[in-house]
């Protein structure tokens, strides 16, 4: 197995560094570092979220075809 294959599932930067990087973006007001995997209306309301950023790939989880489907259906996501 090559080094690249071994690194495939490893994150190159840790979660705290990723959160700090996002906090320094001009258009970010707040970062929720302990966010749930599935984004729903209760989470959006609790944190007064205007926009959910993600890529176009669907992320499946138990009982969900795409954990971002709710945000996508509301037009509040990228």
């Amino acid at each position: 197995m090559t080094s690249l294959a071994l690194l495939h599932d490893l994150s190159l930067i840790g979660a705290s560094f990723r959160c700090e990087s996002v906090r320094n973006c001009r258009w970010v007001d707040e970062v929720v570092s302990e966010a749930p995997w599935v984004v729903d209306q209760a989470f959006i309301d609790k944190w007064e979220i205007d926009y959910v950023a993600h890529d176009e790939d669907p992320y499946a989880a138990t009982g969900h075809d795409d954990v971002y489907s709710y945000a996508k259906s509301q037009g509040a996501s990228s």
Side-chain angles (χ1 to χ4, degrees), residues 4-12:
L4 184 59
L6 292 172
L7 290 175
H8 177 71
D9 290 330
L10 299 176
S11 183
L12 296 178

Side-chain angles (χ1 to χ4, degrees), residues 2-74:
T2 67
S3 299
L4 184 59
L6 292 172
L7 290 175
H8 177 71
D9 290 330
L10 299 176
S11 183
L12 296 178
I13 59 173
S16 62
F17 184 79
R18 245 190 323 259
C19 287
E20 192 58 34
S21 297
V22 174
R23 276 187 193 96
N24 287 293
C25 292
R26 176 187 308 196
W27 301 277
V28 174
D29 295 321
E30 186 172 359
V31 174
V32 181
S33 60
E34 299 298 322
W37 184 239
V38 178
V39 176
D40 60 10
Q41 188 62 50
F43 179 74
I44 290 172
D45 290 345
K46 177 181 178 181
W47 292 97
E48 300 177 1
I49 294 172
D50 297 318
Y51 196 76
V52 178
H54 58 83
D55 60 11
E56 294 182 15
D57 294 339
Y59 289 88
T62 303
H64 300 276
D65 292 330
D66 184 1
V67 298
Y68 295 111
S69 63
Y70 181 78
K72 290 176 181 177
S73 72
Q74 299 303 306

